[in-house]
Amino acid sequence: MKIALAQINPIVGDLDGNAAKIIDFIRRAEGQGAELVIFPELCVTGYPPKDLLLKPHLIRQNVAAVERIAAACGDIVAVVGYAQPNTTGEGRDLFNAAAVCSQGRILHSHGKRLLPTYDVFDETRYFESNLASDVATVEIAGRPVQLGFSICEDLWNNEQFEGLRLYHDDPIADLARSGAELLINISASPFWMGKPRERIRIFSSQVAEHAVPLVYVNQVGGNDDLLFDGGSAFFAADGRLAAQAKFFAEDLLMVDLDDLDAARREPCLDPLVSVRAALVLGTRDYVRKCGFDEVVLGLSGGIDSALSAALAVEALGADKVHGVAMPSRYSSAHSLSDAEALAGNLGIDYRVIPIEDSYQALEAALAPHFGDRPADIAEENLQARVRGNLLMALSNKFGWLLLTTGNKSELSVGYCTLYGDMCGGLAVISDVPKLMVYDLARHINASAGREIIPEGTLTKPPSAELRADQRDEDSLPPYEVLDGILAGYIEQEMSVEAIAETGFDRATVAEVARLVDRNEYKRKQAALGLKVTSRAFGTGRRMPIAARYPS
Amino acid sequence: MKIALAQINPIVGDLDGNAAKIIDFIRRAEGQGAELVIFPELCVTGYPPKDLLLKPHLIRQNVAAVERIAAACGDIVAVVGYAQPNTTGEGRDLFNAAAVCSQGRILHSHGKRLLPTYDVFDETRYFESNLASDVATVEIAGRPVQLGFSICEDLWNNEQFEGLRLYHDDPIADLARSGAELLINISASPFWMGKPRERIRIFSSQVAEHAVPLVYVNQVGGNDDLLFDGGSAFFAADGRLAAQAKFFAEDLLMVDLDDLDAARREPCLDPLVSVRAALVLGTRDYVRKCGFDEVVLGLSGGIDSALSAALAVEALGADKVHGVAMPSRYSSAHSLSDAEALAGNLGIDYRVIPIEDSYQALEAALAPHFGDRPADIAEENLQARVRGNLLMALSNKFGWLLLTTGNKSELSVGYCTLYGDMCGGLAVISDVPKLMVYDLARHINASAGREIIPEGTLTKPPSAELRADQRDEDSLPPYEVLDGILAGYIEQEMSVEAIAETGFDRATVAEVARLVDRNEYKRKQAALGLKVTSRAFGTGRRMPIAARYPS
C-alpha cells in the first residue's frame, strides 16, 4: 500500500483556500501513485479555529468543503480533519473528526475521544468526546483494510503527564484490541522545544506496545501564537521510525508499506535550531496570514532587537524589513553604531529618528502637573512611548506590521513599557528567555559563518538606556539567576519555597515571584507571542489580575 | 431552622483574607441565631481563580484555610466553597466542592457535577466532574437533615440552553429522588443584563418541579472582567421566591424556615439600573483589588468619557477621580466647555493639557520619512497616542490607574486607536453598546435630578475629532443600525446573510462584519473590560487573528 502523508499549512477559517490546497495535494499524491492520502487534524478549518467553531455558517461551510473534497476523490482514499456536526441530540454540537473520503463520497467519520483542555487547548469548549474507538474497514487499492483512526491526543493518552491519570480511556489499546491493521493519527500538535523528540519517544513506545504500524500526520505552520512543526512520520509495527517528513515546511511524504527502506526520513533538528526555525516560520506565517508584506521594528543596538531583526529577515527577506534607531539623550554611542552595523550586516532599510524634541515637548506639556517632583519611571516610560508612537506612525503610514522585540525574561518581570517597547502586532521572541536569546544570536552568527549580530551587541551589558548609566542588573538579578527562577516559577508552577530549596536565595526568589505576579496587567495587553517553551504567556497561562498570589 | 445566606465579596487568591472574612460572617450569623450558614462557590479562593488553581501550594493553602474555618465552627454548620484535591488517582486534580463544616471538623465534601466550559467558563481545565449527586445527612440544631448539595451549574442543568441538551445528567432530579429535604446551591454566577430575572425563572421552575425548597447563595463583587451581582435567595417548596439578598453588595440574609413571611426580600433592579450598579461595583473592585486608590481619565467632551467619569465618581468618590482634557487643533470649542462642565458637575479634579506642541514635534521627527504623503490615519492615530502617552505619564507619576473609555460599538469595529485612546488598565464601558451609553447617561441625569452629563454632550453628533469636521457617521453606519447588526453578529453568531434577512442592508452588514473581524488584533491588546452583556469581548470570545472569517 502506498500512503501519502500530506503535511499542509492551512489558514484558519479559510475554508475555500484550505479545501483547494487539500484537493491539490490529493492530485499530487495520486500523481505519485498513492492509494491513501492523509491530512492533519481540522485541516479544513485550520487549527485552532477557536470560537469560529461557534458560527453555525462556518460549520455548514466546512461540511460543504469536505463534500467538495470527497467529490474530488476517485479510487484514492483521503483522510481529512474537519468539524463534524453532532446529530445525537446530546452534548456539544461538534466532533473533532477524521472524514474518510473515496469514490466521490464521505465513507465514514471518526471523532476524537480524548479532548485536551489544558495549557493552550480548549477542546471541550467545542467538541463532544466520541466514546467509541471503532476500527473501520476501508477498501484501499481493491482490498479491505482495518484502519484504526485516532486524532492527536488519542495517541498521547496519559503518557505525557508523568504519572497523572488524566484520562480514563485508552483509545489506542482499544483500536489494537479491535483488530486494527494500521493506526492513523491526524494531529495538530503545537511545537515547543523538545517536543519533537518527546513525540517520537511516546509514539514509538505506543506502537511497539500494540505491534500495529502507525501513520502520523501533523499540521505545519504558524497560527497566531501556536507553531506547528510538522515532522509527520511512519512507525513500523516494531516501533521503528521508518519515515519522517520535513520540519517547519509543507511536505508530501510517500511511504510504500512494501518498501519501507526506500522511505524518506528527514532528520530531527537540534533543539536550538528547531526554535530558530519555529520563530522564522511563525513570523512569516503571522505576517503573511494577516495580509502584511513588510515589517518595521525598533533597533536599540541591543541583543533582543538584533535577534528579532535577524529572524524577520530570515522569515521575509531583507527587502521587507525596516529598522529604526531612535536615540535619546541616554543612548550610548555604541547603541547607534551597533544598530547601524546590524542593519548593514542584514542589508535592511535603516533609519534614525531622534526622540529628543518629541520627548521635550511632552515633558513641557506635563511640567505644570509634575511640578518639581523628581524624575522617575514616568519619564523613563515617556521615552519608550515616544518610540512606540513613532514606530506605530510608520506602521500606519506605510502598512508595515510592527514587530515588538522583548524577551520572555523581561516580559515575566515587567521590565518593559506598556504602549512603549511593548507596541507591536507580533512579539517575535517573547517566549525566549534571555539566555536563550544569546544562544540563538551566537548560533545565527556561527551558522552564517560571519557576523550578523554585531559582537558589541553580544558582549555589552544589557541596558534599557532610559536614564543615565542604567543597566538591567541595577533592577534585576543576573540573567543566569533570573532565568533559573523563572523556569521554576512559570513553567513548573513551583512555590517560592520550593524554588529556593533548589539553590536560589529566598529573598531573590520572592522578589522575582512578586514581579511576575504584579505584572499580569502588562501581559494582558501584550502582543501575541510565538510559543516555543512548554509554558508560554498568553492562551496557555490564564491568570487573574486583581488578585493576591500565594507565595 | 435558621439559615444565614452569607453573600461575600472575596479577593481572588487571597486565602487568608477570604478565610478571615468567612469566619467573621460565621460569627455574625451565630450572633443572629443561625444554625446553618452558607457561602458562595469557591469563596475560599475567590471566583474565578483561573490558573492559580495549577499552583500546588495554593491548593494546599486553600485546604488549610477550610480547616481553619472548620476549626472556628462550633454547633453551627457552615457550607464553604473550595478546591478539593481529587484523591481517586484518576482524572483532573481537583473538585469544585462544598465543604460542610461543624464541630471543628470538615464533615463532608460535595463536588460539582456539571462543569461549564463555554463563554467565560473553563471549568474542565481544572476540575473533575463528581458523578454522584448524593444527599448528605447533616445534624443541624440537633436533628438530622437530608441536604442536597449542588454547585452553580448543577442547578441550571440544560434549562439555560434553549433546547440544547449539553449535559447528559440532571443533578437536581437525582437529589430530589434521593430524598433531599433542602437543596443548597452555592454559586459564583456572573452577571449580564437580564440574568438576575432569568435565574429566578429557572430556579423557581426547578424547585416547583421537584417540590424541595432551595437556598441559593451567590458571590458578589467584581473580579477582573466578571461581575457577580449577588441576589442570593430562598425559594419555598412551591417555587415561590421567599427571600432575596441585596444586589451588588455584600449581605448576610437570615431565613427562618418556620417564619418565611418575615424574611427580607430585596427587590430586583431594572435592567438599566442593574448595568449601572454592575459597572460601579466592577470599577470599584478592580481599582481597589489592584491596590489603587485614585483614577485618571481623558475627558473629550464626548458621551463615552462623560459616562465613564460619572461611573468612576459613583465607584470611588469625586476626590479620587482626575479628568484631563487634551485639546488639539481639531477640538471644537464645545469639547472643552463640555468637559469642563462635566468635571464641575461631578466635582472632580480637572486639568487641561494641550497636545499641539507634542504632536508637532512628533510630526517633525517623522517628516523626513513621510515626505509629501497626504495626511491619513497615521496622523489621526498620532494625536490619540500623544494623549495616551500624557495620561500614562500622569498615571505613572501619581499612581492613578488610567481608565479607558471606549464603548462596545466602537471596540467592535475598531473605531479606536491602539496605544491611544485604548490605553488604560480598565475599560469601564467597553461592553456597553453606544445606544445603551446614551440610555445610561440619561438615566444618571434623571436619577440625580440634575445635569451630571452636560446636555451638549448628550445631543451633539459623536466625533473622534482627529481631523477637521470629522463625525463618527462619516465612517460608520448610524448607531441605531450599527448596534443592531453587532448584536446579531457578536452576541448571536449570525451570518451576514441571516442578519441582512432581519431587515438590514446586506452591504452594510457585510462591511460591519468585515470591520469586526479585521480588528481582532486591536482587541487582543485591549484593556480588560467589565462584562454586562451575554457576550463580551475578552475571555468569553476567543477569536483567531491571522485568519479568514466566513461571511
Side-chain angles (χ1 to χ4, degrees), chain A residues 231-527:
Chain A
S232 301
F234 183 86
F235 294 82
D238 60 0
R240 182 174 55 94
L241 177 67
Q244 186 160 269
K246 289 176 190 161
F247 286 90
F248 302 107
E250 286 194 330
D251 200 358
L252 184 70
L253 175 67
M254 295 297 303
V255 176
D256 184 344
L257 296 195
D258 301 320
D259 188 9
L260 281 183
D261 290 342
R264 176 158 56 92
R265 205 173 84 189
E266 301 282 349
C268 287
L269 307 178
D270 280 341
L272 196 68
V273 177
S274 74
V275 169
R276 176 179 172 181
L279 295 172
V280 167
L281 179 60
T283 301
R284 182 190 303 135
D285 275 0
Y286 186 78
V287 171
R288 298 213 180 136
K289 291 180 181 181
C290 283
F292 286 86
D293 187 37
E294 300 180 45
V295 297
V296 60
L297 73 176
L299 300 182
S300 68
I303 184 83
D304 299 318
S305 57
L307 175 62
S308 299
L311 293 167
V313 167
E314 275 189 65
L316 305 165
D319 58 324
K320 307 296 189 193
V321 179
H322 305 269
V324 186
M326 293 167 289
S328 77
R329 64 181 82 168
Y330 302 120
S331 300
S332 51
H334 58 73
S335 295
L336 263 186
S337 60
D338 286 341
E340 192 176 355
L342 172 78
N345 295 347
L346 290 170
I348 62 173
D349 173 40
Y350 174 69
R351 295 146 190 254
V352 180
I353 309 183
I355 68 164
E356 189 61 26
D357 292 351
S358 305
Y359 174 67
Q360 283 188 15
L362 284 157
E363 243 193 345
L366 289 161
H369 307 276
F370 282 8
D372 55 3
R373 284 179 171 73
D376 59 13
I377 191 79
E379 282 77 8
E380 295 186 26
N381 284 342
L382 197 56
Q383 299 163 59
R385 291 189 181 118
V386 167
R387 293 190 175 110
N389 203 340
L390 291 167
L391 289 169
M392 283 304 296
L394 294 169
S395 170
N396 288 157
K397 185 63 83 181
F398 299 108
W400 302 335
L401 181 73
L402 175 58
L403 301 179
T404 176
T405 65
N407 63 65
K408 187 175 192 175
S409 308
E410 65 188 29
L411 186 62
S412 299
V413 293
Y415 199 70
C416 47
T417 300
L418 198 50
Y419 323 129
D421 54 294
M422 290 179 72
C423 286
L426 181 71
V428 177
I429 58 168
S430 73
D431 195 36
V432 181
K434 187 77 172 189
L435 296 183
M436 201 193 296
V437 169
Y438 281 99
D439 291 343
L440 282 166
R442 285 193 207 94
H443 164 67
I444 284 174
N445 281 359
S447 65
R450 65 182 179 96
E451 181 189 275
I452 301 284
I453 289 156
E455 192 55 29
T457 295
L458 279 161
T459 50
K460 67 188 171 190
S463 166
E465 296 196 331
L466 293 171
R467 60 173 185 265
D469 303 321
Q470 186 180 31
R471 288 192 182 186
D472 291 11
E473 293 198 3
D474 300 340
S475 310
L476 302 175
Y479 283 109
E480 287 73 15
V481 173
L482 180 61
D483 282 4
I485 294 172
L486 291 172
Y489 195 66
I490 294 166
E491 294 188 38
Q492 296 167 61
E493 295 290 8
M494 289 165 72
S495 67
V496 166
E497 217 52 66
I499 297 169
E501 280 166 18
T502 67
F504 294 100
D505 171 61
R506 199 198 176 284
T508 305
V509 178
E511 174 60 11
V512 168
R514 191 186 70 85
L515 289 172
V516 172
D517 298 342
R518 69 174 287 178
N519 282 291
E520 213 46 66
Y521 77 99
K522 286 191 188 178
R523 291 188 291 268
K524 165 70 181 75
Q525 297 186 42

Side-chain angles (χ1 to χ4, degrees), chain B residues 16 30 62 118 147 191 194 242 262-263 288 408-409 420 427 451 477 523:
Chain B
D16 290 345
E30 285 173 332
N62 122 98
Y118 54 79
L147 297 180
F191 168 81
R288 298 213 180 135
K408 187 176 193 174
S409 309
E451 182 188 274
R523 291 187 292 269

Side-chain angles (χ1 to χ4, degrees), chain A residues 90-91 119 124-125 165 168, chain B residues 90-91 119 124-125 165 168:
Chain A
E90 287 233 335
D119 188 36
T124 54
R125 182 175 172 91
R165 288 198 50 81
H168 310 280
Chain B
E90 287 233 335
D119 189 39
T124 54
R125 183 175 171 90
R165 288 195 52 79
H168 309 280

Side-chain angles (χ1 to χ4, degrees), chain B residues 226-426:
Chain B
L226 298 188
L227 311 173
F228 298 86
D229 52 322
S232 301
F234 183 85
F235 294 82
D238 59 359
R240 182 173 54 93
L241 178 67
Q244 186 160 268
K246 289 176 190 160
F247 286 89
F248 302 106
E250 287 193 329
D251 200 359
L252 184 71
L253 176 67
M254 294 298 302
V255 176
D256 183 344
L257 297 195
D258 302 319
D259 188 10
L260 282 184
D261 291 341
R264 177 158 54 94
R265 205 172 84 189
E266 300 283 346
C268 286
L269 306 178
D270 280 340
L272 197 67
V273 178
S274 74
V275 169
R276 175 179 172 180
L279 295 172
V280 167
L281 179 59
T283 301
R284 181 188 305 133
D285 275 0
Y286 186 78
V287 170
R288 298 213 180 135
K289 290 180 181 180
C290 281
F292 286 88
D293 187 38
E294 300 181 45
V295 297
V296 60
L297 74 176
L299 300 182
S300 69
I303 185 83
D304 299 318
S305 56
L307 175 62
S308 299
L311 293 168
V313 167
E314 275 189 65
L316 304 165
D319 58 323
K320 307 295 189 194
V321 179
H322 305 268
V324 185
M326 293 166 289
S328 78
R329 65 182 80 168
Y330 301 120
S331 299
S332 50
H334 58 73
S335 295
L336 265 185
S337 60
D338 287 341
E340 191 175 355
L342 173 78
N345 295 346
L346 289 171
I348 62 173
D349 174 37
Y350 174 70
R351 294 146 190 255
V352 179
I353 309 182
I355 68 165
E356 190 60 27
D357 292 350
S358 305
Y359 174 67
Q360 283 188 17
L362 284 156
E363 242 191 347
L366 289 161
H369 307 275
F370 283 7
D372 54 4
R373 284 180 171 74
D376 59 12
I377 191 80
E379 283 78 6
E380 295 187 24
N381 284 342
L382 197 56
Q383 297 164 60
R385 291 188 181 119
V386 167
R387 293 190 175 111
N389 202 339
L390 290 167
L391 290 169
M392 284 304 296
L394 293 169
S395 170
N396 287 156
K397 185 62 81 180
F398 298 107
W400 303 334
L401 181 70
L402 175 58
L403 301 179
T404 176
T405 66
N407 62 66
K408 187 176 193 174
S409 309
E410 64 188 30
L411 186 62
S412 299
V413 294
Y415 198 71
C416 47
T417 300
L418 199 50
Y419 323 128
D421 53 293
M422 291 179 71
C423 286
L426 181 70

Side-chain angles (χ1 to χ4, degrees), chain B residues 485 496 500 504-513:
Chain B
I485 295 172
V496 167
F504 294 100
D505 171 61
R506 198 197 176 285
T508 306
V509 178
E511 175 60 11
V512 169

